[in-house]
Each structure stands twice: as C-alpha cells, then as structure tokens.
Amino acid sequence: MCGIIGYTGGAQAAPKLLNGLKRLDYRGYDSSGIAVLERGKITVVKAEGKVAVLDKKTDFGNALRGTVGIGHTRWATHGAPSDANAHPHASNDGRFAIVHNGIIENFFELKQTLAASGCVFSSETDSEVIVHLIETLYNGDMLATLVKAERELKGSYAVGILCADAPNTIYAIRKDNPLMIGINGKNGENFIASDVAAALEYTHEFVLLGDGEIAAVSPAEVAFYDADGKPITKEPYTVKWNIEQAEKGGYPHFMIKEIHEQPRALTDTVRQRIKRDGSIDLDGIELTPEYIASLDGIDIIGCGSAYHAGIVGKYFIEKHARIRVNCELASEYIYSDPITGANRLTLIISQSGETADTLAALRLAKKRGSRTIAVVNVVESAIAREADGVLYTHAGPEIAVATTKGYTTQIAALYLIGLKAARIKGAITNERYSALIKELLSVSDKVSAMLAPAEIEQMLALAKKYSKNHCAFFIGRGADYAASLEGALKLKEISYIHAEAYAAGELKHGTISLIEEGTVTLALVTQSALYPKMESNIKSVSSRKGTVIAVASPENAKISSASDKVIILPECDDDIAPILAAVALQLFAYYVADCRKCDIDKPRNLAKSVTVE
Ligand code: F6R
C-alpha cells in the first residue's frame, strides 16, 4: 500500500515531507512526490524510484518554498511506476493537488464522465479522478465540495488535499483506508499521515479520521466534520510506540502485521473485479467463449507457496470450469520439455514477480506459443511485464519472507479466473455461481473474525502447547490437501520444525510408520463430501497414539470427537475454505515460531525474492 504524509506549520514543509516519506520507505515503494502551497500557488515534484531520487530533484526539499504540503510514496496498483503516475496529482487549473491511498472502484465511470466534461488526464491511475472530481465540484466552499465528492467516490480511500484558495490548510477524507491527524500544538504544527511512523518524530498525539469523515488541518486548529459536513469533536490518543514499532503497526513482526492485513488485501483483490451484475472483469484480460472452447488444458506454474496456491486453483478450476489443469513447480517445468502451445493457457503465479524459475517458465511457455497470464503482486515486475496479460493481486508490499497475504490473494485471484471461465463455458449453474460470488465477497469478513483477540488467544495457547515438538504432519484430502502443503511449508520455514504434508489417503502407503505417541498431525476437515474418509484417516493416527489437531469447518465440527483438539473455522462454502484454513495455519506457524524465539521475518537461509535458478 502507498504512504501519505502532510504538514502544515511554521517551518518549511518540503524537508519535513521528505523526512516523513523516508519513514514510510521501509515498505519498499516505486515512486514518490510532494506538493507544496505558497502564496496561492501549488508546486508539484514527483520522481520514479526511491525517495532519494526526490531528495536529489528538490535539493533535499530546499528548492520548494511553502509551509504547507502533502507527500506520497507509491506502490503501483493502476499504472506502472513512473513520474506521471506518481502522486500528488494536480487539477488542470493547478488549484488542487491530491495524494491517495486505496482503490477507486468506479474510477472508469468517473473518468469517462470527467473526460467528457473537458478534464484532461495525465496519468493511468485511478487516483487522478479524485482531483478532477474536486475541481469540477468546487464552488468556493471546500467543505461542501468534499461532502459531494465523497458521495461520488466508491471504493477505499485516504486522501490528502491542497486547495490554492485555502492557505495553510490540508483537507483530508477517508474510507476503509487509514488516515490520521498528528497534532503538535506545542510547536504550532499539524500533520496528516497514513501510518503513525511518518509523523512520529514530531508528535505522539494522533486522531484517527473515521470512515466518511472530513478534516481541515491548519497549524492552529484541526476541524472535523461528518459525512454531511456537520462539525464533530474527536479526541486525540497517545501513541507510545517508537519508530520501529510503528513501522510494524505496533505488531512485533511484519509477518503477523501482514496476516492481519489479509481482510483488506482480499477485499482489494476481489471487490473491484466483481461488477454490480455479478459478472467478473479480469482487468480487461479477454477470455472469449471461442478461446475457452479451444483450450485442451491449463498449466499453472509457480514456486513454493505460489505453487500451493496453484494447486488450490487447480481443484477449483477443474471442479467448476471442467477444464483439466496441470499444476507444476516452475523449477521442474523448465527442464521438462513441456508439451504446450496455443491450445494451453499458462497461469504464472508469483508474489514478487521476480522469481527466476517462474520467469524462465513464463518465457518458455510463451516461446512455445502458449498464452500466458500472470497472477502477480508487484506491479511492473519482470513477470508482470513479460506475460501476455496480468491480473494483479492487491496484497500490498509484503516484507516478511514467509508469504501470507500474498498467498491468500493468489487463491482469490485464481478463483476469479476459475469462476469467469466456468461462466463463459456454461459449466456452472447461475445459483452456484452467485453463491460463490457472494462467498468471495464475504471472505474478508470471515478472515477478520478469525483475527479477533479471543481467536488469537486460543491459537497462542495451542501453539505454546506444541511448540516443543520436533515434527508435525499435515493431512487433508482434495483442496484440504493443497491447504496442508502450505500449512506445512509455513511451519517449517519459520519455526524450523520438520513438517510434512500428505494427501490423507497416502498415509497408509508408508508414512504412517512414523506415527507414534505424541507425533502431532494437523488434519484439515473442510471438504464435507470427504468427511467419512478423513475421519477414518484421523482414527488411524489416533489409534497409534498420535496427537490430532483438526482444523474443521462448522459443518464438520463433529470431528472433535475423534481429535485431541479442534480449531473451528468460520462458516463458509467448502470451496472457499482453503483461504480460511490458510489463515489458521499461518497463525499456528507464527505463534509456534514466536514461542521458539525464531527470527520470524527473516528465517535462516531464505530470501524474499529468489532471483537465481
Ligand atoms: C513461502 C514463500 C515462498 C514463495 C516462493 C515464490 O512462504 O514465500 O515459497 O512463495 O519463493 O515466490 P514468488 O511468489 O515471489 O514467486
């Protein structure tokens, strides 16, 4: 996600803005920019690359005069990283500048209307519609303008706004994206910030702007209004964190912060692609009935967790679109002399978009005439650039080496592709399609429920109990087997406990000889049709005195009678369960690793982006 800082006070704004942007830089951004207002004129400077480039371009801020300004570091979502796409965006008359975090879901419709009324767009971003909308609605009264603007905007946003007619003032609006006001009355200065880390050097007093609320921030005063423009009072709170704690949002590790970011990441990945009539728009990637009919199969390729997401996708696509899917590890695919061509679609899965094996697989598939669609998180990464089409997961920057939100958003993106193909092919009934769309739209609320304090407490207690074990098995059938693979990887990579995943039916073909008193098996039981088979697999573990921790959907909660402990997931469709099971297993792995005092964000021998084959 992007970062916002704004300053108004007695000092020069630009150096303070640059300083704030550097505090946000730990998240890894692709471009940045600042806008400063002086004597009724707004000056904007933007630069692709790290904040250091902006430093250079502005002589460390000294080239811009003015005591009020806004700044932004960008993590590209709509449009490649470039000077033009960097924020702030200015209105055509130069009277307004805005910085935006989030996604404007109706930007396409707004852009069409605004362009028809004469607005000229200079970027590919969704954010630019906000500044033209404000310019068009402005009638000399900023508050009334923002009330109207908020009624037009759909999606999530935290926005900082400069208006040339309002000296010393930053306006702020937000919905579903954090924005706070940093108060430093002692020094006669105030801030806006997307993360407290950006302003923590200057103040520890913050007010969180609520959904739909508006703030007018000047050095002497911060005025708050509700969505109808009526004044409201808000109390500041004190943030006791130091900078390092603030970067992690108060969490002890990036991994747990990123686990908690999953409701937002899933919403951003799914919601904007599901249209009001329930149809799915894959960011313009065309899948015609003729093309789908011409396919004799799909290859899904990735490494590590991305490969596991592919396996979940395989089960889903085969079940609903009735297209045969082959899922392969990129490092195997490239040396397998793959049989592919125009009649096979290749889905390339990668969070970073830079994994060397996956990139090589993409190039090989393309060379052999297969159409390639990448499911990638990092915009304009090598894989995103080279694929024929790209569907971005909007997970936001992932810092922890072990992927969490990157993985669950990959599954969500694959579900969208699967449902779209199923619909085009006529392989799914309208009822089932609508039910799955509904489930996808509500999955983030279910993940939120799993992250409630009481649930976390339960997971922590469980992790404590088993953190001293030396090995663990993960078993499941169907999509639960795919979820087991990811659960085992998560546990072993961050806690260094040897963990193995098995298709539950395979245990009896050899592995069961390893089960003895105290051996822990995490058994996934979310696929209701497979319940009787899973129950007998679980009994075969417990009859050898193995310990069974079941992870079950409410419909399969009766498995508790055959298990030592059961984690019940929120109510959901069996096909959506792999996302919820992943969250449960991420939490288990995280707390086990924490009990073992492991270096969770940077496990030994691992790198976030594997750029060697
Ligand atoms: C595990 C993990 C790795 C990555 C793999 C692929 O937690 O993060 O297994 O999934 O290295 O990386 P990307 O998705 O960047 O291609």
Side-chain angles (χ1 to χ4, degrees), residues 302-308 349-356 358 375 383 398 400-404 407 410 486 489-490 493-494 606-610:
C303 297
S305 299
Y307 167 72
H308 297 156
I349 319 294
S350 177
Q351 185 284 129
S352 63
E354 301 292 345
T355 302
T358 314
V375 173
I383 290 172
E398 207 176 50
V401 163
T403 184
T404 51
Y407 170 77
Q410 283 164 351
E486 177 59 10
L489 177 61
K490 223 69 313 163
E493 71 179 323
I494 62 167
L606 291 176
K608 182 69 186 159
S609 185
V610 186

Coordinates of all heavy atoms in Angstrom, one line a residue, residues 302-308 349-356 358 375 383 398 400-404 407 410 486 489-490 493-494 606-610, ligand 1:
G302 N 4.3 -22.1 -10.6 CA 4.8 -21.2 -9.6 C 5.8 -22.0 -8.7 O 6.2 -23.1 -8.9
C303 N 6.4 -21.3 -7.7 CA 7.3 -21.9 -6.8 C 6.8 -21.7 -5.3 O 6.1 -20.8 -5.0 CB 8.7 -21.1 -6.8 SG 9.5 -21.2 -8.4
G304 N 7.1 -22.7 -4.5 CA 6.8 -22.5 -3.1 C 5.3 -22.3 -2.8 O 4.5 -23.0 -3.4
S305 N 5.0 -21.3 -2.1 CA 3.6 -21.0 -1.7 C 2.8 -20.7 -3.0 O 1.6 -21.0 -3.0 CB 3.5 -19.8 -0.7 OG 4.2 -20.2 0.4
A306 N 3.4 -20.0 -3.9 CA 2.7 -19.7 -5.2 C 2.2 -21.0 -5.9 O 1.1 -21.0 -6.4 CB 3.6 -18.9 -6.1
Y307 N 3.1 -22.0 -5.8 CA 2.7 -23.3 -6.4 C 1.5 -23.9 -5.6 O 0.6 -24.5 -6.2 CB 4.0 -24.2 -6.3 CG 3.7 -25.7 -6.6 CD1 3.4 -26.1 -7.9 CD2 3.8 -26.6 -5.6 CE1 3.2 -27.5 -8.1 CE2 3.6 -28.0 -5.8 CZ 3.3 -28.4 -7.1 OH 3.0 -29.7 -7.3
H308 N 1.6 -23.8 -4.3 CA 0.5 -24.3 -3.5 C -0.8 -23.6 -3.8 O -1.9 -24.2 -3.8 CB 0.8 -24.1 -2.0 CG 2.0 -24.9 -1.6 ND1 2.8 -24.6 -0.5 CD2 2.6 -26.0 -2.1 CE1 3.8 -25.5 -0.4 NE2 3.7 -26.3 -1.4
I349 N 2.1 -17.8 -11.4 CA 1.8 -17.3 -10.1 C 3.1 -16.8 -9.4 O 4.0 -17.6 -9.2 CB 1.1 -18.3 -9.2 CG1 0.1 -19.2 -10.0 CG2 0.4 -17.6 -8.0 CD1 -1.1 -18.5 -10.5
S350 N 3.1 -15.6 -9.0 CA 4.3 -15.1 -8.3 C 3.9 -13.8 -7.5 O 3.4 -12.9 -8.1 CB 5.4 -14.8 -9.3 OG 6.5 -14.2 -8.6
Q351 N 4.2 -13.8 -6.2 CA 4.0 -12.6 -5.4 C 5.0 -11.5 -5.9 O 4.6 -10.4 -6.2 CB 4.3 -12.9 -3.9 CG 4.0 -11.8 -2.9 CD 5.0 -10.7 -2.9 OE1 4.7 -9.5 -3.0 NE2 6.3 -11.1 -2.7
S352 N 6.3 -11.8 -5.9 CA 7.3 -10.8 -6.2 C 7.3 -10.4 -7.7 O 7.7 -9.3 -8.1 CB 8.7 -11.3 -5.8 OG 9.0 -12.5 -6.6
G353 N 7.0 -11.4 -8.5 CA 7.1 -11.2 -10.0 C 8.5 -11.2 -10.5 O 8.8 -10.9 -11.6
E354 N 9.4 -11.7 -9.6 CA 10.8 -11.7 -10.0 C 11.5 -13.0 -9.8 O 12.7 -13.2 -10.1 CB 11.6 -10.7 -9.1 CG 11.2 -9.2 -9.2 CD 11.4 -8.6 -10.5 OE1 12.2 -9.1 -11.3 OE2 10.8 -7.5 -10.8
T355 N 10.8 -14.1 -9.4 CA 11.3 -15.4 -9.1 C 11.9 -16.0 -10.4 O 11.2 -16.1 -11.4 CB 10.3 -16.3 -8.5 OG1 9.8 -15.7 -7.3 CG2 10.9 -17.7 -8.1
A356 N 13.2 -16.3 -10.4 CA 13.9 -16.6 -11.6 C 13.3 -17.9 -12.3 O 13.1 -17.8 -13.5 CB 15.4 -16.9 -11.3
T358 N 10.3 -19.0 -12.1 CA 9.0 -18.8 -12.6 C 9.1 -17.9 -13.9 O 8.3 -18.1 -14.8 CB 8.2 -18.0 -11.5 OG1 8.4 -18.7 -10.3 CG2 6.7 -18.0 -11.8
V375 N -0.4 -14.0 -12.4 CA -1.1 -13.5 -11.2 C 0.0 -13.0 -10.3 O 0.8 -13.8 -9.8 CB -1.9 -14.6 -10.6 CG1 -2.5 -14.2 -9.2 CG2 -3.0 -15.1 -11.5
I383 N 7.9 -10.5 -14.3 CA 6.9 -11.4 -14.8 C 5.6 -10.6 -15.3 O 5.0 -11.0 -16.3 CB 6.5 -12.4 -13.7 CG1 7.7 -13.4 -13.5 CG2 5.2 -13.2 -13.9 CD1 7.6 -14.3 -12.3
E398 N 4.8 -6.9 0.7 CA 5.0 -8.0 1.7 C 6.4 -7.9 2.1 O 7.3 -8.1 1.3 CB 4.6 -9.3 1.1 CG 4.1 -10.3 2.1 CD 3.6 -11.6 1.4 OE1 4.3 -12.1 0.6 OE2 2.5 -12.0 1.8
A400 N 7.7 -9.6 5.3 CA 8.1 -10.8 5.9 C 8.5 -11.8 4.8 O 7.8 -11.9 3.8 CB 7.0 -11.4 6.8
V401 N 9.5 -12.6 5.0 CA 10.0 -13.6 4.0 C 8.8 -14.6 3.7 O 8.5 -14.9 2.6 CB 11.3 -14.2 4.4 CG1 11.5 -15.5 3.6 CG2 12.4 -13.3 4.2
A402 N 8.2 -15.1 4.8 CA 7.1 -16.0 4.6 C 5.9 -15.3 4.1 O 5.4 -14.4 4.8 CB 6.8 -16.7 5.9
T403 N 5.4 -15.7 3.0 CA 4.2 -15.1 2.4 C 2.9 -15.4 3.2 O 2.8 -16.6 3.6 CB 4.1 -15.4 0.9 OG1 3.0 -14.6 0.4 CG2 3.8 -16.9 0.7
T404 N 2.1 -14.5 3.3 CA 0.8 -14.7 3.9 C -0.3 -14.1 3.1 O -1.0 -14.8 2.4 CB 0.7 -14.1 5.4 OG1 1.2 -12.7 5.3 CG2 1.6 -14.9 6.3
Y407 N -0.2 -15.0 -0.5 CA -0.7 -16.3 -0.9 C -2.2 -16.4 -0.9 O -2.8 -16.8 -1.9 CB -0.2 -17.3 0.2 CG -0.8 -18.7 0.1 CD1 -0.5 -19.6 -0.8 CD2 -1.8 -19.1 1.0 CE1 -1.1 -20.9 -0.9 CE2 -2.4 -20.3 1.0 CZ -2.0 -21.2 0.0 OH -2.6 -22.5 0.0
Q410 N -3.5 -14.7 -3.9 CA -3.3 -15.5 -5.2 C -4.5 -16.5 -5.3 O -5.0 -16.7 -6.4 CB -2.0 -16.3 -5.1 CG -0.8 -15.4 -5.3 CD 0.5 -16.1 -4.9 OE1 0.5 -17.2 -4.2 NE2 1.7 -15.5 -5.2
E486 N 0.6 -26.0 2.2 CA 1.0 -24.6 2.5 C 1.2 -24.5 4.1 O 2.1 -23.9 4.5 CB -0.1 -23.6 2.1 CG 0.2 -22.2 2.4 CD 1.5 -21.6 1.9 OE1 2.2 -22.2 1.1 OE2 1.8 -20.5 2.4
L489 N 4.6 -26.0 4.9 CA 5.7 -25.1 4.5 C 5.8 -23.9 5.5 O 6.9 -23.5 5.9 CB 5.4 -24.5 3.1 CG 6.5 -23.5 2.5 CD1 7.9 -24.1 2.5 CD2 6.1 -23.0 1.1
K490 N 4.7 -23.3 5.8 CA 4.7 -22.2 6.7 C 5.4 -22.6 8.1 O 6.2 -21.9 8.6 CB 3.3 -21.7 7.0 CG 2.9 -20.3 7.0 CD 2.9 -19.5 5.8 CE 4.1 -19.5 4.9 NZ 3.9 -19.0 3.6
E493 N 9.3 -23.4 7.5 CA 10.2 -22.3 7.2 C 10.4 -21.3 8.3 O 11.5 -20.7 8.4 CB 9.8 -21.6 5.9 CG 8.6 -20.7 6.0 CD 8.2 -20.0 4.7 OE1 9.1 -19.6 3.9 OE2 7.0 -19.9 4.4
I494 N 9.4 -21.1 9.2 CA 9.7 -20.1 10.2 C 10.0 -20.6 11.6 O 10.5 -19.9 12.4 CB 8.5 -19.0 10.3 CG1 7.2 -19.7 10.7 CG2 8.4 -18.2 9.0 CD1 6.2 -18.6 11.1
L606 N 16.9 -18.0 3.9 CA 15.9 -17.7 3.0 C 15.9 -16.2 2.5 O 16.4 -15.4 3.3 CB 14.5 -17.9 3.6 CG 14.1 -19.4 3.8 CD1 12.8 -19.5 4.5 CD2 14.0 -20.2 2.5
A607 N 15.5 -16.0 1.3 CA 15.4 -14.6 0.8 C 14.0 -14.4 0.3 O 13.3 -15.3 -0.1 CB 16.3 -14.4 -0.4
K608 N 13.5 -13.1 0.4 CA 12.2 -12.8 0.0 C 12.0 -13.1 -1.5 O 10.9 -13.5 -2.0 CB 11.8 -11.4 0.3 CG 10.4 -10.9 0.0 CD 9.4 -11.7 0.9 CE 8.0 -11.4 0.6 NZ 7.1 -12.4 1.1
S609 N 12.9 -12.7 -2.3 CA 12.8 -12.8 -3.7 C 13.9 -13.7 -4.3 O 15.1 -13.3 -4.1 CB 12.8 -11.4 -4.3 OG 12.5 -11.5 -5.7
V610 N 13.6 -14.8 -4.9 CA 14.6 -15.8 -5.3 C 14.9 -15.6 -6.7 O 14.3 -16.1 -7.6 CB 14.1 -17.2 -5.0 CG1 15.3 -18.2 -5.2 CG2 13.7 -17.4 -3.5
Ligands
F6R1 C1 7.0 -19.2 1.4 C2 7.4 -18.3 0.3 C3 8.0 -18.8 -0.9 C4 7.5 -18.1 -2.1 C5 8.3 -18.6 -3.4 C6 7.8 -17.9 -4.6 O1 6.4 -18.6 2.5 O2 7.2 -17.1 0.5 O3 7.8 -20.2 -1.0 O4 6.1 -18.4 -2.3 O5 9.6 -18.2 -3.2 O6 7.9 -16.5 -4.6 P1 7.1 -15.6 -5.5 O7 5.6 -15.8 -5.2 O8 7.6 -14.2 -5.2 O9 7.4 -16.0 -6.9

